[in-house]
Structures are given as C-alpha cells and as structure tokens.
C-alpha cells in the first residue's frame, strides 16, 4: 500500500474558482482544462507508473523503456499544469502588472527592459509549432533568466532550467474563446500573471 502511494499523484486543488480568470480565460475553458485535461494527465501518469513498477519487478527492460514516453508526457503535463494554475490569478488579485524586486532587476539585466522581455516571451509562445509551452526559466549555472519553449508536455527541467512562468499554448488552453488566434490569447494572459508567485519561484531557485 505504501509503495503504491508513492506513485499515486493527485490533481492539485485549484487556487480559485473556474470563473476567477474571466474575461481573460473563460470559466468553460478553465473547467475543461483543469477537470478533464489535467486530470487525464494525472490518471495516465499513475497508470503508466504502475505498469512501470510491474515491469521493473519482472526485469522487463523493454517494457520499462516503452513506458518512459507515457511517463514523460503525462508526468510533464502534470508538472506544467501544477505550475500554470499558481502563476495565474484573478485580474483584481493579480497585483501589479509588472514584476517587482529581484525578478524585475534580473529582467532588466537579461532582457534590457520589461517590454523587451514581454515581447520576446510572447513571440516565443505564439510561435510554438503545434502544441507546447513558452517559458521564462532560471539557469542556475549561469545565474540568469532565459526564455525557452518546450514541445508537447516536455518539462522545462529537461532543458536544465527552473520554470518560473509558463504560457500553455496547447489549443485546449484557449481555442474555445480565442479560436485560432493564439496571439490574442498570449497578449491577454499578461493581465493575469501572479507576479508575487513568480517572484517567490525565482527566490527559491536562486538561493
């Protein structure tokens, strides 16, 4: 039972109501995104891990290798969405529209200005081919911020970066509301970034 519990990942509690991010993200999208898509990643991750442990006890290396793709995809989906929900907040509670403190200073240093950073991250996210994410990450080795993209649900940690801010550009994140105009969704989401949470992520990553 204890062994099984180790691989029983759960859907994290959403820190706000489904309609809290309106008008930027509709309640309908939020409910589907959280209750269907994220839940499916968690369910499929647990199932894949259970099969992996079974294969491991049987020394079935071929099966273990085959299952790694499902673990990476669903595990990444769980990690990415668990971050995504916390870096967003209701427009009235998102606080200042610009970052403060150390994060603001590092953005200025690494991207020249907040506007330049916003433009570069927006372009990266909008330009992702197919499904994926646009990210602001922290490079612990170089002690600097970097903009990156990841395909599908690949976690940013696979690129050696600590995720601070992610923009989900899978169609399920915006299509019901923004149709095929991904750039409009990317532009709007800046209104609901929870900079205090993002600043705390940087503090944890850099100290």
């Amino acid at each position: 039972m204890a062994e099984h519990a180790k691989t029983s990942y759960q859907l994290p509690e959403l820190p706000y109501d489904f309609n809290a991010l309106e008008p930027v993200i509709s309640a309908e999208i939020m409910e589907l995104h959280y209750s269907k898509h994220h839940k499916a990643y968690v369910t499929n991750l647990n199932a894949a891990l259970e099969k992996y442990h079974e294969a491991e006890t049987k020394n079935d290396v071929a099966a273990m290798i085959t299952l790694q793709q499902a673990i990476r995809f669903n595990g990444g989906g769980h990690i990415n969405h668990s971050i995504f929900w916390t870096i967003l907040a209701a427009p009235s509670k998102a606080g200042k529209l610009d970052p403060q403190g150390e994060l603001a200073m590092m953005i200025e240093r690494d991207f020249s200005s907040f506007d330049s950073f916003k433009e570069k991250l927006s372009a990266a996210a909008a330009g992702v081919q197919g499904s994926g994410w646009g990210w602001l990450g922290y490079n612990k080795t170089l002690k600097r911020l970097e903009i990156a993209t990841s395909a599908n649900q690949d976690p940013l940690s696979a690129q050696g970066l600590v995720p601070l801010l992610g923009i989900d550009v899978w169609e399920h994140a915006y299509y019901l509301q923004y149709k095929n105009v991904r750039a409009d969704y990317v532009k709007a989401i800046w209104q609901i970034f929870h900079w205090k949470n993002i600043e705390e992520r940087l503090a944890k990553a850099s100290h």
Side-chain angles (χ1 to χ4, degrees):
M1 183 69 179
E3 184 66 29
H4 179 72
K6 289 179 186 175
T7 59
S8 293
Y9 291 94
Q10 295 181 354
L11 193 64
E13 188 174 338
L14 198 66
Y16 35 72
D17 294 333
F18 289 134
N19 64 358
L21 304 183
E22 291 187 338
V24 178
I25 300 177
S26 71
E28 184 182 17
I29 286 177
M30 282 302 302
E31 185 169 6
L32 284 168
H33 200 169
Y34 173 79
S35 303
K36 302 295 183 184
H37 292 280
H38 190 173
K39 185 178 180 181
Y41 295 131
V42 173
T43 300
N44 293 334
L45 172 62
N46 286 329
L49 285 170
E50 196 167 314
K51 289 177 183 175
Y52 185 92
H53 289 316
E54 287 175 11
E56 198 173 26
T57 59
K58 297 174 183 174
N59 291 319
D60 188 345
V61 177
M64 290 163 66
I65 292 170
T66 301
L67 286 160
Q68 283 175 9
Q69 185 174 352
I71 293 169
R72 181 185 179 111
F73 178 77
N74 292 292
H78 176 47
I79 290 168
N80 293 341
H81 286 86
S82 295
I83 294 168
F84 189 57
W85 308 135
T86 64
I87 63 163
L88 303 177
S92 61
K93 295 181 180 178
K96 298 182 183 300
L97 291 179
D98 296 348
Q100 306 294 308
E102 185 181 16
L103 178 60
M105 290 188 290
M106 291 186 72
I107 286 174
E108 190 84 20
R109 184 195 71 187
D110 296 334
F111 304 108
S112 300
S113 69
F114 177 75
D115 286 342
S116 175
F117 156 66
K118 183 176 177 180
E119 184 181 330
K120 288 174 181 175
L121 179 55
S122 295
V128 169
Q129 295 294 310
S131 299
W133 293 73
W135 293 101
L136 172 67
Y138 179 71
N139 186 318
K140 284 191 167 188
T141 303
L142 300 177
K143 300 186 186 309
R144 57 171 288 136
L145 301 175
E146 295 183 15
I147 288 171
T149 60
S150 57
N152 300 311
Q153 292 297 353
D154 287 353
L156 189 61
S157 57
Q159 298 182 42
L161 299 173
V162 179
L164 304 178
L165 180 164
I167 302 176
D168 185 349
V169 291
W170 279 66
E171 286 191 343
H172 64 234
Y174 64 88
Y175 199 86
L176 285 175
Q177 190 171 353
Y178 295 89
K179 305 305 184 219
N180 62 320
V181 191
R182 181 192 284 177
D184 285 355
Y185 156 71
V186 171
K187 181 180 179 182
I189 203 171
W190 288 87
Q191 300 172 47
I192 55 172
F193 282 138
H194 189 3
W195 289 109
K196 188 172 185 295
N197 179 278
I198 299 161
E199 288 158 16
E200 288 169 355
R201 288 182 179 279
L202 174 62
K204 187 175 179 181
S206 61
H207 295 105

